[in-house]
Amino acid sequence: MNGQNYPTQEQLSNVNYQNYQPPSESMPDYLEPFTEGLSGSTVRRIGDRNVFGTNSNRIRHNYSKDQTWNSDETLIKLSGHPAAILDAETYEFLYWANIPGYGRWANTDPHILYGGSSNNFQSFDVTTNQRTTLRTFSEYSSVDFGYGEGNQSNDDRYVGLIGQSGSTKTVFVYDIQNDVVTGSMVIPSGDLDWFSVSQSGEYAVLCWRTDGSGPNQGLKSYDINMQNERHLADTTPHGDLGYDAFGNEVFVGYGDQAQWDAGYSMYMVRLDGGGMTNLFPYVNGRGIWGGHVSTRNIDRPGWAYVSEQCCSSNPVAPREIFAIKLDNSGTIERYGKHHSAPTGYLHETQVVPNRNGTKMIFASNWNDPTQTNQTSAPAFVLEFPQNNVGMTVNAGNDIAICEGESTNLTAYGTGGSNFSWSTGENSQNIEVSPSETTTYTVTLSDNSGNSVTDSVTVTVNPLPSANAGDDVTIDEGDSVTLTASGGGSYEWNTGANTQSITVSPDETTTYTVSVIQNGCMAEDTVTVTVIPTPIEADAGQDVAICENDTVVLTASGGSDYAWSTGETTQSITVSPSETTTYTVTVSEGDVSDSDSVTVTVNPLPTANAGNDVTITEGESTTLTATGGDDYEWSNGETTQSITVNPSETTTYSVEVSSNGCTSSDSVTVTVESNETVTANAGNDVSICEGESTTLTASGGSSYEWSTGEITQSITVSPNNTTTYTVTVSEGDVSDSDSVTVTVN
């Protein structure tokens, strides 16, 4: 039982839109109410530069996805850091609140907001102006609340955050109640627009700025563990996450050219992959565009609130605020004209309803030339008139769950304070996990004994019988078609969402398919075994080396190698002492092959240059080497025998080769001079004991005596008779002679 009043519901096909007419008067006075002509709603301007003492954007609300009313609708938060806090009854300015970045009101506590600051996720108490850090994410340098377009789940449990570490960005879901990260994903390069969890907390949704169906394009949903990616739409328009009229979670957004070509300019798409529904058709050949969508009316699911920002000549909802029912019926509720000329982002209307959709905040410059050049447009509140409806209770929309799941039921009411459920529980919110479809009744009573009741049905859908098909074996390079069964839609871990997929894996691979039926999902797997193509090992050509040499052996044919030496590299270096055969086993995955290579070791030849030779100066001699097949002498000749005629004693070396191996030897040719020398030590001489005598030699140019002296004449004084010898030399020729000194 809803106790709220809303404008008359109209069918789009019956609406006769007129060209936009700007207001005849300038900007309305601050807090002065006036009646809007289209729906009879009361409108007030609640933002004022002089009252607030600022020319910044703090005189308006933040964004269409940011709920401005707190949970008991006693306070209103506007934009900025700090943000203006207003009384939600009188709309008067109360104080500035130093809220954390992109602060969002809690849905379960009227005094708390949530937001990010640096790498901290914080709660903020508006009554004490104090922040409390709920978690510091030390693995990131900063965390962001969905890039300004995120919201926590309706039970304040889950929130989607974006962590930054260097140039790496990571999206992750944080469980506030249990202080755990349920899932994360490092995002690839690409222009990320926003990230948020859905109202139920069952889905995480990521939106890229780029349209398309690629990995970094379009709109995608995941489960709360950041698994089971679903590509929802190629378009990335303004929109919000909510429920359709049937209890399915959806994204509601403006269309792009694809929808316009199909005759629609708004659509909704189910987060469970259940498909897209067009909502707002063309009227007289034109559609809406350029505005914003909000589903912050969480106590009135099944509706989306829209502010059309288009040009004044557009005959379709020009500068209008309306609500559209999310059931493809074309049902709308028209609330009024916002009168904001599109002069900049902070002059956009960006309507956001309160929680039951009877009030809404929007921004407007009122098409007033004195306002359009200001930093931003101020905020207004529109209230649709409500009758005194007495006590009401609403158990919420019927909901469908899958077998084995649980769900939260939340009742809302007016005029009473005591909630009781048919389960026996006495709280506003209960968690149920029925095994079959069950209807739950809630009763709201007051202290005087008055009560009202409402019911909600939880439909339990069975899990589908997922079948990915039988396992299959293919040869490497072949492909195979896998066909799943058991459901209405299919999603493979390859990213494909068709019932059949064709795969060609390089190696044995297991594929998982998620089968979805009535919003419920089951999984099955199928394994494609790949028989590798046989490989051929090649150890290389046989090779011959010389004794004491080394050689590098290189195999080919695979990715892994094992030699008979125990080495596991593709190339090995060996130095066998004798002829040896080496074997290598080459592998590629589970396939292997072997091959061998022989290294022949040739002995070194025994080089012999012959015996040393002595010749007389001017003579020649023949040197003959042996021990090999080829010869190379140090004088450059390559014959086995060479004739030499050195002018001085010379050593000749020869390199002997056989079977590619070499050794060397040398021979010395001594050259003797052909000159002659006749040594003369002089005549024998007699001296008396104690006397001395001088001995003088002749016959050459150099002298060496047996006394060690090297002069031509020496003086001796022997104690007894002594014979002295002298060697006389001339060049390389020498001769010796002796003289005897008799001592008397």
Side-chain angles (χ1 to χ4, degrees):
M1 292 166 52
N2 275 328
Q4 289 78 37
N5 293 329
Y6 301 96
T8 301
Q9 295 182 4
E10 303 180 58
Q11 295 300 119
L12 280 169
S13 57
N14 298 328
V15 177
N16 183 22
Y17 287 108
Q18 302 297 318
N19 284 345
Y20 172 71
Q21 298 297 324
S24 58
E25 298 181 356
S26 59
M27 174 76 73
D29 291 335
Y30 174 62
L31 294 185
E32 288 297 320
F34 63 93
T35 301
E36 205 287 324
L38 185 61
S39 66
S41 297
T42 299
V43 179
R44 291 179 178 85
R45 177 165 66 89
I46 63 172
D48 188 85
R49 295 180 180 87
N50 293 327
V51 173
F52 289 13
T54 178
N55 287 319
S56 72
N57 63 321
R58 294 173 185 163
I59 63 171
R60 60 162 288 158
H61 68 302
N62 179 37
Y63 192 59
S64 57
K65 292 184 180 181
D66 184 357
Q67 176 57 264
T68 55
W69 279 270
N70 67 344
S71 62
D72 64 3
E73 299 199 0
T74 59
L75 299 174
I76 289 175
K77 169 187 70 69
L78 296 186
S79 180
H81 309 282
I85 302 298
L86 312 183
D87 186 302
E89 293 294 330
T90 66
Y91 304 114
E92 293 178 325
F93 174 85
L94 297 179
Y95 52 84
W96 294 106
N98 188 27
I99 67 174
Y102 300 126
R104 299 291 195 257
W105 284 114
N107 298 310
T108 58
D109 188 326
H111 302 133
I112 297 299
L113 294 102
Y114 294 110
S117 176
S118 184
N119 62 350
N120 301 309
F121 185 72
Q122 299 176 326
S123 65
F124 176 80
D125 191 325
V126 294
T127 61
T128 62
N129 210 31
Q130 294 296 314
R131 299 189 187 191
T132 300
T133 296
L134 303 179
R135 174 134 176 191
T136 298
F137 294 94
S138 57
E139 61 269 41
Y140 306 113
S141 57
S142 64
V143 292
D144 195 287
F145 202 154
Y147 283 169
E149 298 190 45
N151 285 285
Q152 70 271 21
S153 57
N154 289 351
D155 60 0
D156 290 330
R157 178 173 177 179
Y158 297 106
V159 63
L161 301 174
I162 304 171
Q164 182 98 20
S165 179
S167 61
T168 301
K169 299 176 183 177
T170 302
V171 295
F172 61 96
V173 176
Y174 175 50
D175 183 340
I176 302 172
Q177 295 178 13
N178 296 310
D179 191 26
V180 295
V181 173
T182 62
S184 65
M185 182 180 72
V186 176
I187 63 173
S189 58
D191 196 356
L192 179 64
D193 190 1
W194 55 266
F195 177 64
S196 180
V197 296
S198 65
Q199 292 191 19
S200 71
E202 183 177 353
Y203 300 99
V205 182
L206 187 151
C207 183
W208 299 97
R209 290 188 184 275
T210 306
D211 289 347
S213 59
N216 306 342
Q217 298 172 332
L219 188 73
K220 303 181 190 298
S221 72
Y222 306 82
D223 61 26
I224 211 67
N225 302 314
M226 293 305 299
Q227 302 294 321
N228 298 319
E229 179 184 296
R230 297 177 179 88
H231 181 77
L232 302 180
D234 292 352
T235 59
T236 59
H238 290 139
D240 201 358
L241 301 172
Y243 286 94
D244 67 13
F246 311 106
N248 302 302
E249 289 202 274
V250 293
F251 172 80
V252 187
Y254 272 84
D256 69 351
Q257 192 62 47
Q259 270 68 50
W260 297 344
D261 289 344
Y264 289 87
S265 52
M266 273 190 73
Y267 72 90
M268 65 180 178
V269 58
R270 284 172 53 167
L271 304 187
D272 62 4
M276 181 180 293
T277 301
N278 289 314
L279 294 174
F280 197 109
Y282 280 123
V283 178
N284 298 325
R286 293 200 180 192
I288 59 172
W289 66 279
H292 287 83
V293 178
S294 181
T295 52
R296 294 303 93 201
N297 44 296
I298 63 175
D299 294 346
R300 193 200 185 195
W303 291 82
Y305 286 73
V306 184
S307 53
E308 168 61 14
Q309 199 71 49
C310 186
C311 37
S312 60
S313 61
N314 182 12
V316 181
R319 301 194 192 177
E320 188 162 310
I321 297 171
F322 64 93
I324 185 167
K325 194 172 185 180
L326 303 180
D327 63 354
N328 196 26
S329 64
T331 302
I332 65 169
E333 297 169 346
R334 302 176 69 189
Y335 285 90
K337 303 294 184 179
H338 56 73
H339 296 307
S340 190
T343 60
Y345 180 79
L346 294 178
H347 287 260
E348 292 182 357
T349 303
Q350 299 177 1
V351 68
V352 54
N354 69 341
R355 295 169 187 267
N356 61 24
T358 59
K359 304 176 184 179
M360 54 209 70
I361 286 182
F362 64 93
S364 176
N365 55 35
W366 214 252
N367 214 68
D368 187 336
T370 64
Q371 301 295 325
T372 55
N373 62 354
Q374 297 289 338
T375 301
S376 71
F380 286 75
V381 168
L382 180 150
E383 300 179 58
F384 188 76
Q386 302 295 303
N387 296 329
N388 183 9
V389 296
M391 186 182 298
T392 63
V393 68
N394 181 6
N397 289 336
D398 292 342
I399 189 170
I401 65 172
C402 300
E403 184 180 353
E405 290 183 347
S406 61
T407 186
N408 285 310
L409 303 179
T410 301
Y412 300 95
T414 60
S417 59
N418 305 314
F419 293 91
S420 62
W421 291 86
S422 54
T423 61
E425 296 170 273
N426 297 312
S427 59
Q428 189 174 359
N429 177 279
I430 65 172
E431 183 173 325
V432 296
S433 182
S435 58
E436 59 186 2
T437 299
T438 304
T439 298
Y440 298 89
T441 301
V442 64
T443 300
L444 176 64
S445 60
D446 60 18
N447 294 331
S448 299
N450 301 311
S451 66
V452 289
T453 62
D454 190 29
S455 297
V456 59
T457 298
V458 179
T459 301
V460 180
N461 292 319
L463 298 177
S465 298
N467 185 359
D470 296 330
D471 293 341
V472 64
T473 300
I474 63 173
D475 292 327
E476 185 177 1
D478 288 350
S479 61
V480 64
T481 298
L482 307 177
T483 300
S485 61
S489 61
Y490 302 86
E491 187 170 328
W492 295 84
N493 60 345
T494 62
N497 52 17
T498 54
Q499 186 172 5
S500 297
I501 61 172
T502 299
V503 296
S504 181
D506 297 327
E507 58 185 359
T508 297
T509 304
T510 297
Y511 296 88
T512 301
V513 64
S514 299
V515 178
I516 302 170
Q517 185 74 35
N518 295 323
C520 299
M521 183 183 70
E523 293 183 344
D524 191 29
T525 60
V526 57
T527 299
V528 178
T529 301
V530 178
I531 300 177
T533 302
I535 65 173
E536 184 175 349
D538 185 4
Q541 299 293 324
D542 292 341
V543 64
I545 65 172
C546 299
E547 187 178 355
N548 300 325
D549 281 354
T550 60
V551 66
V552 176
L553 305 179
T554 300
S556 60
S559 59
D560 298 301
Y561 300 86
W563 291 86
S564 52
T565 62
E567 295 170 275
T568 57
T569 54
Q570 187 173 2
S571 297
I572 62 173
T573 301
V574 296
S575 181
S577 59
E578 58 185 1
T579 297
T580 304
T581 298
Y582 297 89
T583 301
V584 64
T585 299
V586 180
S587 303
E588 186 72 52
D590 296 330
V591 182
S592 62
D593 188 33
S594 297
D595 190 29
S596 297
V597 58
T598 298
V599 178
T600 300
V601 179
N602 292 320
L604 298 177
T606 303
N608 187 354
N611 296 325
D612 292 341
V613 178
T614 299
I615 63 173
T616 301
E617 184 177 2
E619 292 182 344
S620 61
T621 185
T622 298
L623 306 178
T624 299
T626 60
D629 300 320
D630 298 295
Y631 303 87
E632 185 173 349
W633 292 87
S634 54
N635 63 358
E637 297 185 67
T638 57
T639 56
Q640 185 173 3
S641 298
I642 62 173
T643 299
V644 296
N645 182 19
S647 60
E648 58 184 359
T649 298
T650 304
T651 298
Y652 297 88
S653 61
V654 64
E655 189 174 86
V656 178
S657 302
S658 181
N659 294 322
C661 301
T662 62
S663 64
S664 61
D665 192 27
S666 60
V667 58
T668 299
V669 178
T670 301
V671 179
E672 294 183 345
S673 175
N674 54 13
E675 296 180 1
T676 60
V677 174
T678 302
N680 184 4
N683 296 324
D684 294 338
V685 62
S686 295
I687 64 173
C688 294
E689 185 178 359
E691 291 182 345
S692 61
T693 185
T694 297
L695 304 179
T696 299
S698 61
S701 60
S702 60
Y703 302 86
E704 184 175 355
W705 292 89
S706 54
T707 63
E709 294 171 276
I710 57 173
T711 55
Q712 186 173 3
S713 297
I714 64 174
T715 299
V716 297
S717 180
N719 294 324
N720 47 38
T721 298
T722 304
T723 298
Y724 296 90
T725 301
V726 65
T727 299
V728 180
S729 303
E730 187 69 52
D732 293 333
V733 181
S734 62
D735 188 32
S736 298
D737 190 28
S738 299
V739 58
T740 299
V741 178
T742 301
V743 179
N744 294 318

